[in-house]
Amino acid sequence: MSQKRRLQDYDINPCLVESSASRKCLEMNQSDKDMCAIYFLKYRNCRKFWHGIMMQRKQDGIKPHMPIGEERKRILASLEGAPY
């Protein structure tokens, strides 16, 4: 599977929504990064959050290290929404 295709797979990329939103913002604002700062921040926070989950699962010996899409939905529901 190509890198681009992997990044567009929700089971692999936990921040697909945030990534798409920041890309759309750049397209709508002629690549003006200042206009999209909030989207970049949400994406960065999303990546930090799921990286922490992944590292904890790796340390605990849980596989797959990155939870699949359905499991991530349950994790976020238990937190009453995304913490990012």
Side-chain angles (χ1 to χ4, degrees):
M1 184 180 289
S2 73
Q3 178 70 10
K4 183 177 180 180
R5 192 166 175 195
R6 286 183 58 220
L7 293 176
Q8 293 176 350
D9 183 341
Y10 182 72
D11 276 332
I12 295 171
N13 182 359
C15 301
L16 185 59
V17 171
E18 293 78 10
S19 174
S20 295
S22 56
R23 193 171 31 259
K24 284 181 186 178
C25 180
L26 284 172
E27 289 171 7
M28 292 181 67
N29 291 291
Q30 291 78 41
S31 297
D32 184 347
K33 292 180 181 176
D34 292 335
M35 296 291 290
C36 302
I38 190 74
Y39 293 100
F40 298 147
L41 181 61
K42 285 182 181 181
Y43 175 72
R44 191 167 39 251
N45 289 340
C46 177
R47 296 294 301 170
K48 283 182 188 178
F49 175 79
W50 289 112
H51 180 75
I53 297 285
M54 183 179 69
M55 295 310 290
Q56 186 62 52
R57 288 169 62 101
K58 187 174 183 177
Q59 185 178 30
D60 294 342
I62 300 170
K63 290 191 178 184
H65 300 308
M66 178 59 71
I68 62 170
E70 286 301 315
E71 189 175 357
R72 288 195 308 267
K73 285 180 186 177
R74 288 192 299 273
I75 291 169
L76 293 177
S78 74
L79 299 172
E80 297 179 5
Y84 41 85

